[in-house]
Coordinates of all heavy atoms in Angstrom, one line a residue:
M792 N 7.4 6.1 11.3 CA 7.7 6.6 10.0 C 6.7 7.7 9.6 O 5.5 7.6 9.9 CB 7.6 5.5 9.0 CG 7.5 6.0 7.5 SD 7.4 4.7 6.3 CE 9.0 4.5 5.9
S793 N 7.1 8.8 9.0 CA 6.2 9.8 8.6 C 5.8 9.6 7.1 O 6.4 8.8 6.4 CB 6.8 11.2 8.7 OG 7.5 11.6 7.6
L794 N 4.7 10.2 6.8 CA 4.1 10.0 5.4 C 5.1 10.5 4.4 O 5.1 9.9 3.3 CB 2.8 10.8 5.3 CG 2.0 10.6 4.1 CD1 1.6 9.1 3.9 CD2 0.7 11.4 4.2
S795 N 6.0 11.4 4.7 CA 6.9 11.9 3.7 C 8.2 11.2 3.7 O 9.1 11.5 2.9 CB 7.1 13.4 3.9 OG 7.7 13.6 5.2
T796 N 8.4 10.2 4.5 CA 9.7 9.5 4.5 C 9.9 8.7 3.2 O 9.0 8.0 2.8 CB 9.7 8.4 5.7 OG1 9.5 9.1 6.9 CG2 11.0 7.6 5.7
P797 N 11.0 8.9 2.5 CA 11.2 8.3 1.2 C 11.7 6.9 1.2 O 11.5 6.2 0.2 CB 12.3 9.2 0.6 CG 13.1 9.7 1.8 CD 12.1 9.9 2.9
Q798 N 12.1 6.4 2.4 CA 12.6 5.0 2.4 C 11.5 4.0 2.5 O 10.5 4.2 3.2 CB 13.6 4.8 3.6 CG 14.8 5.6 3.6 CD 14.6 7.0 4.3 OE1 13.5 7.3 4.7 NE2 15.6 7.7 4.4
H799 N 11.7 2.8 1.9 CA 10.8 1.7 2.0 C 10.9 1.1 3.4 O 12.0 1.0 3.9 CB 11.0 0.7 0.9 CG 10.5 1.2 -0.4 ND1 11.3 1.0 -1.5 CD2 9.5 1.8 -0.9 CE1 10.7 1.5 -2.6 NE2 9.6 2.0 -2.2
T800 N 9.8 0.6 3.9 CA 9.9 -0.2 5.2 C 10.5 -1.5 4.9 O 10.1 -2.3 4.0 CB 8.5 -0.3 5.7 OG1 7.9 1.0 5.9 CG2 8.5 -1.0 7.1
R801 N 11.6 -1.8 5.6 CA 12.4 -3.0 5.3 C 11.5 -4.3 5.4 O 10.8 -4.5 6.3 CB 13.5 -3.1 6.4 CG 14.5 -4.2 6.1 CD 15.6 -4.3 7.0 NE 16.1 -2.9 7.2 CZ 17.0 -2.5 8.1 NH1 17.5 -3.4 8.9 NH2 17.4 -1.3 8.1
G802 N 11.7 -5.1 4.3 CA 11.1 -6.4 4.3 C 9.7 -6.5 3.7 O 9.3 -7.6 3.3
W803 N 9.0 -5.4 3.7 CA 7.6 -5.4 3.1 C 7.7 -5.4 1.6 O 8.6 -4.8 1.0 CB 6.9 -4.2 3.6 CG 6.5 -4.3 5.1 CD1 7.3 -4.2 6.2 CD2 5.2 -4.5 5.6 NE1 6.7 -4.3 7.3 CE2 5.3 -4.5 7.0 CE3 3.9 -4.6 5.1 CZ2 4.2 -4.6 7.9 CZ3 2.9 -4.8 5.9 CH2 3.0 -4.8 7.3
S804 N 6.6 -6.0 1.0 CA 6.5 -5.9 -0.5 C 5.1 -6.0 -0.9 O 4.2 -6.4 -0.1 CB 7.3 -7.0 -1.1 OG 6.7 -8.3 -0.8
A805 N 4.8 -5.5 -2.1 CA 3.5 -5.6 -2.7 C 3.5 -5.8 -4.2 O 4.5 -5.5 -4.8 CB 2.7 -4.3 -2.4
E806 N 2.5 -6.5 -4.7 CA 2.4 -6.8 -6.1 C 1.0 -6.6 -6.6 O 0.1 -7.1 -5.9 CB 2.8 -8.2 -6.3 CG 2.7 -8.7 -7.7 CD 3.1 -10.2 -7.8 OE1 4.3 -10.5 -7.6 OE2 2.2 -11.0 -8.0
L807 N 0.8 -5.8 -7.7 CA -0.5 -5.6 -8.3 C -0.4 -6.3 -9.6 O 0.4 -6.1 -10.5 CB -0.7 -4.1 -8.5 CG -2.0 -3.8 -9.2 CD1 -3.2 -4.2 -8.3 CD2 -2.1 -2.3 -9.4
R808 N -1.4 -7.3 -9.8 CA -1.5 -8.0 -11.1 C -2.6 -7.5 -11.9 O -3.7 -7.4 -11.4 CB -1.6 -9.5 -10.8 CG -0.4 -10.1 -10.2 CD -0.5 -11.7 -10.0 NE -1.7 -12.0 -9.2 CZ -1.7 -12.1 -7.8 NH1 -0.6 -11.7 -7.2 NH2 -2.7 -12.5 -7.1
L809 N -2.3 -7.0 -13.1 CA -3.2 -6.5 -14.0 C -3.5 -7.4 -15.2 O -2.6 -8.2 -15.5 CB -2.7 -5.1 -14.6 CG -2.5 -4.0 -13.5 CD1 -1.9 -2.8 -14.2 CD2 -3.8 -3.7 -12.8
P810 N -4.6 -7.5 -15.8 CA -5.7 -6.5 -15.7 C -6.7 -6.8 -14.5 O -7.6 -6.0 -14.3 CB -6.4 -6.6 -17.0 CG -6.2 -8.0 -17.4 CD -4.9 -8.4 -16.9
E811 N -6.6 -7.9 -13.9 CA -7.6 -8.3 -12.9 C -7.6 -7.4 -11.6 O -8.5 -7.4 -10.9 CB -7.5 -9.8 -12.5 CG -6.2 -10.2 -11.8 CD -5.0 -10.5 -12.7 OE1 -5.1 -10.3 -13.9 OE2 -4.0 -11.1 -12.2
G812 N -6.5 -6.7 -11.4 CA -6.4 -5.8 -10.2 C -6.2 -6.6 -8.9 O -6.6 -6.1 -7.8
A813 N -5.6 -7.7 -8.9 CA -5.3 -8.5 -7.7 C -4.1 -7.9 -7.0 O -3.0 -7.7 -7.6 CB -5.0 -9.9 -8.0
L814 N -4.2 -7.5 -5.7 CA -3.2 -6.9 -4.9 C -2.8 -7.8 -3.8 O -3.7 -8.3 -3.0 CB -3.6 -5.5 -4.4 CG -2.6 -4.8 -3.5 CD1 -1.3 -4.4 -4.2 CD2 -3.3 -3.6 -2.8
V815 N -1.5 -8.1 -3.6 CA -1.0 -8.8 -2.4 C 0.0 -7.9 -1.8 O 0.9 -7.4 -2.4 CB -0.3 -10.1 -2.9 CG1 0.3 -10.8 -1.7 CG2 -1.3 -11.0 -3.5
I816 N -0.2 -7.7 -0.5 CA 0.8 -6.9 0.4 C 1.4 -7.9 1.4 O 0.6 -8.6 2.1 CB 0.1 -5.8 1.1 CG1 -0.5 -4.8 0.1 CG2 1.2 -5.0 2.0 CD1 -1.3 -3.7 0.7
R817 N 2.7 -8.1 1.4 CA 3.3 -9.1 2.2 C 4.1 -8.4 3.4 O 4.8 -7.5 3.2 CB 4.3 -9.9 1.4 CG 3.6 -10.8 0.4 CD 4.6 -11.6 -0.4 NE 4.0 -12.3 -1.5 CZ 3.8 -11.8 -2.7 NH1 4.1 -10.5 -2.9 NH2 3.1 -12.5 -3.6
F818 N 3.9 -9.1 4.6 CA 4.8 -8.8 5.7 C 6.2 -9.2 5.5 O 6.4 -10.0 4.6 CB 4.2 -9.5 7.0 CG 2.9 -9.1 7.5 CD1 1.8 -9.8 7.3 CD2 2.8 -7.9 8.3 CE1 0.6 -9.4 7.9 CE2 1.6 -7.5 8.8 CZ 0.5 -8.3 8.6
P819 N 7.1 -8.8 6.3 CA 8.5 -9.3 6.1 C 8.7 -10.8 6.1 O 9.6 -11.3 5.5 CB 9.3 -8.6 7.2 CG 8.5 -7.3 7.5 CD 7.1 -7.7 7.3
D820 N 7.8 -11.5 6.9 CA 7.9 -12.9 6.9 C 7.2 -13.6 5.7 O 7.0 -14.8 5.7 CB 7.4 -13.5 8.2 CG 5.9 -13.4 8.4 OD1 5.2 -12.8 7.5 OD2 5.4 -13.8 9.4
T821 N 6.7 -12.8 4.7 CA 6.0 -13.2 3.5 C 4.6 -13.6 3.7 O 3.9 -13.9 2.7 CB 6.8 -14.3 2.7 OG1 6.7 -15.5 3.3 CG2 8.2 -13.9 2.4
S822 N 4.1 -13.6 5.0 CA 2.6 -13.8 5.1 C 1.9 -12.6 4.6 O 2.5 -11.5 4.4 CB 2.3 -14.1 6.6 OG 2.6 -13.0 7.4
H823 N 0.6 -12.7 4.4 CA -0.1 -11.6 3.7 C -0.9 -10.7 4.7 O -1.6 -11.2 5.5 CB -1.2 -12.2 2.7 CG -0.6 -13.0 1.6 ND1 -1.3 -13.6 0.7 CD2 0.7 -13.2 1.2 CE1 -0.5 -14.2 -0.2 NE2 0.7 -14.0 0.1
L824 N -0.7 -9.4 4.5 CA -1.5 -8.4 5.2 C -2.8 -8.2 4.4 O -3.8 -8.1 5.0 CB -0.7 -7.1 5.3 CG -1.6 -5.9 5.7 CD1 -2.0 -6.0 7.2 CD2 -0.9 -4.6 5.5
Y825 N -2.7 -8.3 3.1 CA -3.8 -8.0 2.2 C -3.7 -8.9 1.0 O -2.6 -9.0 0.4 CB -3.9 -6.6 1.8 CG -5.1 -6.1 1.0 CD1 -6.2 -5.8 1.6 CD2 -5.0 -6.1 -0.4 CE1 -7.4 -5.4 0.9 CE2 -6.1 -5.7 -1.1 CZ -7.3 -5.3 -0.5 OH -8.4 -5.0 -1.2
D826 N -4.7 -9.6 0.6 CA -4.7 -10.4 -0.6 C -6.2 -10.3 -1.2 O -7.0 -11.1 -0.9 CB -4.4 -11.8 -0.3 CG -4.2 -12.7 -1.5 OD1 -4.4 -12.2 -2.7 OD2 -3.7 -13.9 -1.4
A827 N -6.4 -9.3 -2.0 CA -7.7 -9.1 -2.6 C -7.6 -8.2 -3.8 O -6.5 -8.0 -4.3 CB -8.7 -8.5 -1.5
S828 N -8.6 -7.5 -4.2 CA -8.6 -6.7 -5.4 C -8.3 -5.2 -5.0 O -8.6 -4.8 -3.9 CB -9.9 -6.8 -6.2 OG -11.0 -6.3 -5.4
L829 N -7.8 -4.5 -5.9 CA -7.6 -3.1 -5.8 C -7.9 -2.4 -7.1 O -7.0 -2.4 -8.0 CB -6.2 -2.7 -5.3 CG -5.9 -1.2 -5.3 CD1 -6.7 -0.6 -4.1 CD2 -4.5 -0.9 -5.2
P830 N -9.1 -1.9 -7.3 CA -9.4 -1.3 -8.6 C -8.5 0.0 -8.7 O -8.3 0.7 -7.8 CB -10.8 -0.8 -8.5 CG -11.4 -1.7 -7.4 CD -10.3 -2.0 -6.5
S831 N -7.8 0.1 -9.9 CA -7.0 1.3 -10.1 C -7.0 1.7 -11.5 O -7.2 0.8 -12.4 CB -5.5 0.9 -9.7 OG -5.0 -0.1 -10.5
G832 N -6.8 2.9 -11.8 CA -6.8 3.5 -13.1 C -5.4 3.7 -13.6 O -4.4 3.6 -12.9
P833 N -5.3 4.1 -14.9 CA -4.0 4.3 -15.5 C -3.1 5.4 -14.8 O -1.9 5.3 -14.7 CB -4.3 4.7 -16.9 CG -5.7 4.2 -17.2 CD -6.4 4.2 -15.9
T834 N -3.8 6.5 -14.3 CA -3.0 7.6 -13.7 C -2.4 7.1 -12.4 O -1.2 7.3 -12.2 CB -4.0 8.8 -13.4 OG1 -4.6 9.2 -14.6 CG2 -3.2 9.9 -12.7
W835 N -3.1 6.3 -11.6 CA -2.5 5.8 -10.3 C -1.4 4.8 -10.7 O -0.4 4.8 -10.0 CB -3.6 5.1 -9.5 CG -3.2 4.7 -8.2 CD1 -3.1 5.4 -7.0 CD2 -2.7 3.3 -7.8 NE1 -2.6 4.6 -6.0 CE2 -2.4 3.4 -6.5 CE3 -2.5 2.2 -8.6 CZ2 -1.9 2.2 -5.8 CZ3 -2.1 1.0 -7.9 CH2 -1.7 1.1 -6.6
Q836 N -1.7 3.9 -11.6 CA -0.7 2.9 -12.0 C 0.6 3.6 -12.5 O 1.7 3.1 -12.1 CB -1.2 2.0 -13.1 CG -2.4 1.2 -12.6 CD -3.1 0.5 -13.7 OE1 -2.7 0.4 -14.9 NE2 -4.3 0.0 -13.4
R837 N 0.5 4.7 -13.2 CA 1.8 5.4 -13.7 C 2.5 6.0 -12.5 O 3.7 6.0 -12.4 CB 1.4 6.5 -14.7 CG 1.3 6.0 -16.1 CD 1.2 7.1 -17.1 NE 0.1 8.0 -16.9 CZ -1.2 7.8 -17.3 NH1 -1.5 6.7 -18.0 NH2 -2.1 8.7 -17.1
A838 N 1.7 6.6 -11.6 CA 2.3 7.2 -10.4 C 3.1 6.2 -9.6 O 4.2 6.4 -9.1 CB 1.3 7.9 -9.5
V839 N 2.5 5.0 -9.4 CA 3.1 3.9 -8.7 C 4.4 3.4 -9.4 O 5.4 3.3 -8.8 CB 2.2 2.7 -8.4 CG1 2.9 1.5 -7.9 CG2 1.1 3.1 -7.4
A840 N 4.3 3.3 -10.7 CA 5.4 2.8 -11.5 C 6.6 3.9 -11.4 O 7.7 3.5 -11.2 CB 5.0 2.6 -12.9
D841 N 6.2 5.2 -11.4 CA 7.2 6.2 -11.3 C 7.9 6.3 -9.9 O 9.1 6.5 -9.8 CB 6.6 7.6 -11.6 CG 6.3 7.7 -13.1 OD1 6.7 6.9 -13.9 OD2 5.5 8.7 -13.4
S842 N 7.1 6.1 -8.9 CA 7.7 6.2 -7.5 C 8.2 4.8 -7.0 O 9.0 4.8 -6.1 CB 6.6 6.6 -6.6 OG 5.6 5.6 -6.4
G843 N 7.8 3.7 -7.6 CA 8.3 2.4 -7.2 C 7.6 1.9 -5.9 O 8.0 0.8 -5.4
G844 N 6.6 2.5 -5.4 CA 6.0 2.0 -4.2 C 4.7 2.8 -3.9 O 4.3 3.7 -4.6
V845 N 4.1 2.4 -2.7 CA 2.9 3.0 -2.2 C 3.1 3.2 -0.7 O 4.0 2.6 -0.1 CB 1.7 2.1 -2.4 CG1 1.4 1.9 -3.9 CG2 1.9 0.7 -1.8
V846 N 2.3 4.1 -0.2 CA 2.2 4.3 1.3 C 1.0 3.6 1.8 O -0.1 3.9 1.3 CB 2.2 5.8 1.6 CG1 2.0 6.0 3.1 CG2 3.5 6.5 1.2
I847 N 1.1 2.8 2.8 CA 0.0 2.1 3.4 C -0.3 2.8 4.7 O 0.7 3.0 5.5 CB 0.3 0.6 3.6 CG1 0.6 -0.1 2.3 CG2 -0.8 -0.1 4.4 CD1 1.2 -1.4 2.4
V848 N -1.5 3.2 5.0 CA -1.9 3.8 6.2 C -2.6 2.7 7.0 O -3.6 2.2 6.6 CB -2.8 5.0 6.0 CG1 -3.2 5.7 7.3 CG2 -2.1 6.0 5.1
T849 N -2.1 2.4 8.2 CA -2.8 1.4 9.1 C -3.3 2.1 10.3 O -2.7 3.1 10.8 CB -1.9 0.3 9.4 OG1 -0.8 0.8 10.2 CG2 -1.3 -0.4 8.2
G850 N -4.3 1.6 10.9 CA -4.9 2.1 12.1 C -6.3 1.7 12.4 O -6.8 0.9 11.6
P851 N -6.9 2.2 13.4 CA -8.3 1.8 13.7 C -9.3 2.5 12.8 O -9.9 3.5 13.1 CB -8.5 2.3 15.2 CG -7.6 3.5 15.2 CD -6.4 3.2 14.4
M852 N -9.5 1.9 11.6 CA -10.3 2.5 10.6 C -11.3 1.4 10.0 O -10.8 0.5 9.4 CB -9.5 3.1 9.4 CG -8.6 4.2 9.9 SD -7.4 4.7 8.7 CE -6.2 3.4 8.7
A853 N -12.5 1.6 10.3 CA -13.5 0.6 9.8 C -14.0 0.9 8.4 O -14.4 0.0 7.7 CB -14.7 0.5 10.7
D854 N -13.9 2.1 8.0 CA -14.3 2.5 6.6 C -13.6 3.8 6.3 O -12.9 4.4 7.1 CB -15.9 2.6 6.5 CG -16.5 3.6 7.5 OD1 -15.9 4.7 7.7 OD2 -17.5 3.2 8.1
V855 N -13.9 4.3 5.1 CA -13.2 5.5 4.6 C -13.5 6.8 5.5 O -12.7 7.7 5.6 CB -13.4 5.8 3.1 CG1 -12.8 4.7 2.3 CG2 -14.9 6.0 2.8
D856 N -14.7 6.8 6.1 CA -15.0 8.0 6.9 C -14.2 8.0 8.2 O -14.2 9.0 8.9 CB -16.5 7.9 7.3 CG -17.4 8.1 6.1 OD1 -17.0 8.8 5.2 OD2 -18.5 7.5 6.1
C857 N -13.5 6.9 8.6 CA -12.7 6.9 9.8 C -11.3 7.3 9.5 O -10.5 7.5 10.5 CB -12.7 5.5 10.3 SG -14.3 4.8 10.8
I858 N -10.8 7.5 8.3 CA -9.4 7.7 8.0 C -9.0 9.1 8.5 O -8.0 9.1 9.3 CB -9.2 7.6 6.5 CG1 -9.4 6.2 6.0 CG2 -7.7 8.1 6.1 CD1 -9.4 6.0 4.5
D859 N -9.6 10.2 8.2 CA -9.2 11.5 8.6 C -9.2 11.6 10.1 O -8.2 12.1 10.7 CB -10.0 12.6 8.0 CG -9.6 12.8 6.5 OD1 -8.5 12.4 6.1 OD2 -10.4 13.4 5.8
P860 N -10.3 11.2 10.8 CA -10.2 11.3 12.3 C -9.1 10.5 12.9 O -8.5 10.9 13.9 CB -11.6 10.7 12.7 CG -12.5 11.0 11.5 CD -11.6 10.8 10.4
A861 N -8.8 9.3 12.4 CA -7.7 8.5 12.9 C -6.4 9.2 12.7 O -5.5 9.2 13.6 CB -7.7 7.1 12.3
I862 N -6.2 9.8 11.5 CA -4.9 10.5 11.3 C -4.8 11.7 12.2 O -3.8 11.9 12.8 CB -4.8 10.9 9.8 CG1 -4.7 9.7 8.9 CG2 -3.7 11.9 9.6 CD1 -4.8 10.0 7.4
Q863 N -5.9 12.5 12.3 CA -5.9 13.7 13.2 C -5.6 13.3 14.6 O -5.0 14.1 15.4 CB -7.2 14.5 13.0 CG -7.3 15.1 11.6 CD -8.6 15.6 11.3 OE1 -9.6 15.5 12.0 NE2 -8.8 16.1 10.1
A864 N -6.1 12.2 15.1 CA -5.9 11.7 16.5 C -4.5 11.1 16.7 O -4.2 10.7 17.8 CB -7.0 10.8 16.9
G865 N -3.7 10.9 15.7 CA -2.4 10.3 15.8 C -2.4 8.8 16.0 O -1.5 8.3 16.6
L866 N -3.5 8.2 15.5 CA -3.7 6.8 15.7 C -3.2 5.9 14.5 O -3.5 4.7 14.5 CB -5.1 6.5 16.0 CG -5.7 7.2 17.3 CD1 -7.2 6.9 17.4 CD2 -5.0 6.7 18.5
T867 N -2.6 6.5 13.6 CA -2.2 5.8 12.4 C -0.7 5.5 12.3 O 0.1 6.2 12.9 CB -2.6 6.5 11.1 OG1 -2.1 7.8 11.2 CG2 -4.2 6.6 11.0
T868 N -0.3 4.5 11.5 CA 1.1 4.2 11.2 C 1.2 4.2 9.7 O 0.3 3.7 9.0 CB 1.4 2.8 11.8 OG1 1.2 2.8 13.2 CG2 2.9 2.5 11.5
Y869 N 2.3 4.6 9.2 CA 2.6 4.7 7.7 C 3.7 3.7 7.4 O 4.7 3.6 8.0 CB 3.0 6.1 7.3 CG 2.0 7.1 7.7 CD1 2.2 7.8 8.9 CD2 0.9 7.4 6.9 CE1 1.2 8.8 9.3 CE2 0.0 8.3 7.3 CZ 0.1 9.0 8.5 OH -0.8 10.0 8.9
L870 N 3.5 3.0 6.3 CA 4.5 2.1 5.8 C 4.7 2.4 4.3 O 3.7 2.5 3.5 CB 4.0 0.6 5.8 CG 3.7 0.0 7.2 CD1 3.0 -1.3 7.0 CD2 4.9 -0.1 8.0
R871 N 5.9 2.7 3.9 CA 6.2 2.9 2.5 C 6.7 1.5 2.0 O 7.7 1.0 2.4 CB 7.2 4.0 2.3 CG 7.5 4.3 0.8 CD 8.3 5.5 0.6 NE 7.7 6.7 1.2 CZ 6.7 7.5 0.6 NH1 6.3 7.1 -0.6 NH2 6.2 8.5 1.1
V872 N 6.0 1.0 1.0 CA 6.2 -0.4 0.6 C 6.5 -0.4 -1.0 O 5.8 0.2 -1.7 CB 5.0 -1.3 0.9 CG1 5.2 -2.7 0.3 CG2 4.7 -1.3 2.3
P873 N 7.6 -1.1 -1.4 CA 7.8 -1.2 -2.8 C 6.7 -2.0 -3.5 O 6.2 -3.0 -2.9 CB 9.1 -1.9 -2.9 CG 9.3 -2.6 -1.6 CD 8.6 -1.8 -0.6
L874 N 6.2 -1.6 -4.6 CA 5.1 -2.3 -5.3 C 5.5 -2.5 -6.7 O 5.9 -1.6 -7.4 CB 3.8 -1.4 -5.2 CG 2.6 -2.1 -5.8 CD1 1.4 -2.0 -5.0 CD2 2.3 -1.6 -7.2
S875 N 5.4 -3.8 -7.1 CA 5.6 -4.1 -8.5 C 4.3 -4.3 -9.2 O 3.3 -4.8 -8.6 CB 6.5 -5.3 -8.6 OG 5.8 -6.5 -8.1
I876 N 4.2 -3.9 -10.5 CA 3.0 -4.1 -11.3 C 3.3 -5.1 -12.4 O 4.2 -4.9 -13.1 CB 2.5 -2.8 -11.9 CG1 2.2 -1.8 -10.8 CG2 1.3 -3.0 -12.8 CD1 1.8 -0.4 -11.3
E877 N 2.5 -6.2 -12.4 CA 2.7 -7.2 -13.4 C 1.5 -7.1 -14.4 O 0.3 -7.2 -14.0 CB 2.7 -8.6 -12.8 CG 3.9 -8.8 -12.0 CD 4.1 -10.3 -11.6 OE1 3.4 -11.1 -12.1 OE2 4.9 -10.5 -10.7
R878 N 1.8 -6.9 -15.6 CA 0.7 -6.7 -16.6 C 0.5 -8.0 -17.4 O 1.4 -8.8 -17.6 CB 1.1 -5.6 -17.6 CG 1.2 -4.3 -16.8 CD 1.5 -3.1 -17.7 NE 1.8 -2.0 -17.0 CZ 0.9 -1.1 -16.5 NH1 -0.4 -1.3 -16.7 NH2 1.3 -0.1 -15.8

């Protein structure tokens, strides 16, 4: 999948619970890829609400400094996942 692909990846889902900022990202079998916090501000929350989802970038990245090199080396995968926000 490319970063610009508009379709959601089948079976995946995500939920952000506010105000605590708890984020759960689920695999198609409903097990969790991520279950922790995601600090987010009103601008990001509006953008997600408007688009109905987020793009998850996966790959060999230990920290934020590894993201660009992994993308440039073609080592990443993109998932477009529907995300619901519960307030």
Side-chain angles (χ1 to χ4, degrees):
M792 166 183 262
S793 90
L794 189 56
S795 61
T796 301
Q798 299 90 355
H799 289 136
T800 304
R801 187 177 312 172
W803 288 70
S804 65
E806 176 183 292
L807 178 64
R808 292 184 302 276
L809 298 175
E811 64 273 13
L814 175 67
V815 175
I816 301 171
R817 292 181 187 84
F818 289 107
D820 70 0
T821 72
S822 63
H823 295 178
L824 169 68
Y825 185 84
D826 188 355
S828 65
L829 176 72
S831 64
T834 301
W835 185 86
Q836 293 166 15
R837 277 192 301 278
V839 168
D841 290 346
S842 71
V845 294
V846 174
I847 300 168
V848 180
T849 63
M852 300 171 286
D854 57 44
V855 295
D856 294 329
C857 299
I858 296 171
D859 285 339
I862 291 171
Q863 292 167 0
L866 300 173
T867 55
T868 301
Y869 305 95
L870 303 168
R871 186 170 298 280
V872 178
L874 184 135
S875 62
I876 298 176
E877 293 191 11
R878 299 181 190 276

